[in-house]
Amino acid sequence: MSKFWSPFVKDLVPYVPGEQPKLAKLVKLNTNENPYGPSPKAIAAMQAELGDNLRLYPDPNSDRLKQAVADYYGVSTAQVFVGNGSDEVLAHAFHGLFQHGRSLLFPDVTYSFYPVYCGLYGIAYEALPLDEQFQIRVEDYARPNGGIIFPNPNAPTGCALGLAAIERLLKANPDTVVLVDEAYIDFGGETAISLVNQYPNLLVSQTLSKSRSLAGLRVGLAVGHPDLIEALERIKNSFNSYPLDRMAIAGAAAAFEDQAYFQQTCQAVIASREALVAAMSDLGFEVLPSAANFVFARHPQRDAAELAAALREHGVIVRHFKQQRIAQFLRITIGAPEQNQALLDALGQIL
Ligand SMILES: *Cc1c(COP(=O)(O)O)cnc(C)c1O
């Protein structure tokens, strides 16, 4: 606190990201990073950008990347927005599409950045409870609102919502924007991008941080009606004209173009997830059905915070949230097979 702070800054409640430990030896299963490296073609494309050209500003519109995304999804570049991580894309959407005076709706258990953006942009919100199985009840969202946002699969539960349910939600809310945050869609969900031509109120965001292993590069995107994209462009061009640097544009485009590597690494993560779910169930955990690159699990006899602390002593870090409804759960990222084994060995010893 300082006398130089504005009242606005004093009242901000910032997001707290998962720990990035300085100790390299830890088995890091706490922030849903991909255990496999980025596409070798993406790395080569970034290396090719490292040179004299860095004296020049990057393309403010990131056209090369927009084209790669548009080609991949069969949409036009006017339907694509890109930003510095999907967190930035989401921030612009909150600012430009949800600030209408009425409450934004999202689930009570969800990505904890949403209420932070509401605080930043002065947006009222209502958190609607998930059902007992931690699923979104679509009927609850048929009420007056200033917009709707949820991750699909949801975070931190990993539970996916089907396209039919998303369509019901879109039909019930034709006058407000429905933002589907597909940070984890490539690990087992079905993308709603196939619906953007039918529903002008649908915006779908994705990230290259998880399924394309580029968390360190900071690239996110959104696909939707050109009018929605134009709103995001207006905000972006009033804030930072160059959110993506030269390396990011080249690396992200190459990652989208390398479909073989992408499929192979996603399949490996999915196979590891299924093996981990089975092994954790054998240890007595209740694991929610996951379509993501993490599992959300509780042990009926063990306190989750104590388990997380004990795992840390065994060199394994996982994510624990203090929010009351999920305080007995751990969110565990799917690692490489040897990391998952280290987790299971540690759990075996602790239990
Ligand atoms: C990881 C994550 C993001 C943010 O991704 P970045 O592109 O790394 O900013 C957005 N939404 C959800 C639900 C996430 O889990």
Side-chain angles (χ1 to χ4, degrees):
M1 188 85 89
S2 147
K3 67 176 180 180
F4 301 115
W5 287 15
S6 70
F8 174 74
V9 168
K10 275 183 208 146
D11 291 340
L12 279 182
V13 184
Y15 175 73
V16 183
E19 179 191 0
Q20 293 295 339
K22 300 288 182 282
L23 288 167
K25 276 183 67 183
L26 289 172
V27 176
K28 188 175 179 307
L29 304 177
N30 67 329
T31 52
N32 297 343
E33 288 136 333
N34 202 307
Y36 304 107
S39 153
K41 291 179 183 165
I43 293 174
M46 290 186 265
Q47 278 166 342
E49 284 298 316
L50 263 183
D52 279 351
N53 268 355
L54 284 181
R55 70 191 177 78
L56 302 171
Y57 283 104
D59 171 10
N61 294 320
S62 303
D63 282 332
R64 175 157 148 56
L65 174 56
K66 284 184 180 175
Q67 190 64 57
V69 174
D71 289 347
Y72 183 83
Y73 282 115
V75 296
S76 76
T77 53
Q79 291 171 291
V80 180
F81 180 79
V82 294
N84 190 263
S86 66
D87 285 339
E88 184 183 81
V89 176
L90 293 173
H92 291 343
F94 274 68
H95 205 176
L97 301 170
F98 291 154
Q99 235 177 12
H100 291 285
R102 275 166 300 155
S103 290
L104 177 68
L105 306 180
F106 51 76
D108 63 337
V109 175
T110 198
Y111 188 32
S112 44
F113 224 134
Y114 301 159
V116 173
Y117 289 135
C118 286
L120 179 61
Y121 295 117
I123 299 166
Y125 67 88
E126 272 180 79
L128 306 182
L130 298 175
D131 71 14
E132 262 81 80
Q133 278 73 51
F134 290 92
Q135 303 290 332
I136 290 173
R137 262 193 310 241
V138 168
E139 314 80 62
D140 295 353
Y141 291 76
R143 65 168 82 183
N145 64 72
I148 294 170
I149 184 169
F150 59 91
N152 189 36
N154 197 9
T157 63
C159 300
L161 192 66
L163 277 193
I166 292 175
E167 268 203 275
R168 276 192 278 132
L169 198 80
L170 288 161
K171 287 199 171 114
N173 295 279
D175 297 324
T176 52
V177 170
V178 175
L179 203 173
V180 184
D181 175 355
E182 294 188 345
Y184 302 103
I185 197 72
D186 299 315
F187 300 107
E190 206 180 346
T191 179
I193 290 179
S194 58
L195 300 175
V196 295
N197 289 330
Q198 273 166 275
Y199 297 94
N201 60 326
L202 170 62
L203 188 70
V204 178
S205 67
Q206 293 189 353
T207 175
L208 281 80
S209 299
K210 279 95 183 211
S211 57
R212 288 186 175 80
S213 304
L214 287 167
L217 198 63
R218 312 304 304 131
V219 184
L221 61 99
V223 179
H225 191 281
D227 289 350
L228 300 184
I229 301 304
E230 192 185 337
L232 302 178
E233 297 288 356
R234 288 172 69 98
I235 300 239
K236 171 234 163 201
N237 288 319
S238 308
F239 177 73
N240 177 6
S241 310
Y242 306 104
L244 267 64
D245 60 54
R246 287 177 167 272
M247 265 92 69
I249 294 169
F256 256 91
E257 286 157 5
D258 191 354
Q259 293 193 35
Y261 183 85
F262 166 71
Q263 299 292 352
Q264 184 196 321
T265 47
C266 285
Q267 286 311 317
V269 169
I270 291 168
S272 295
R273 178 184 72 214
E274 298 314 307
L276 186 65
V277 170
M280 286 183 67
S281 304
D282 287 346
L283 287 171
F285 280 92
E286 179 196 330
V287 189
L288 296 190
S290 172
N293 68 335
F294 58 84
V295 293
F296 202 52
R298 68 177 151 200
H299 197 285
Q301 281 98 39
R302 294 302 189 107
D303 178 71
E306 286 173 24
L307 266 184
L311 278 171
R312 204 191 161 88
E313 280 176 13
H314 284 75
V316 180
I317 49 175
V318 301
R319 192 95 194 254
H320 174 253
F321 298 91
K322 293 198 176 74
Q323 186 188 344
Q324 197 228 327
R325 194 174 172 194
I326 54 172
Q328 286 313 321
F329 281 85
L330 296 176
R331 192 197 67 187
I332 304 175
T333 304
I334 309 301
E338 61 276 15
Q339 294 179 301
N340 302 334
Q341 194 53 53
L343 165 80
L344 291 169
D345 291 347
L347 283 175
Q349 287 174 34
I350 295 162
L351 296 168

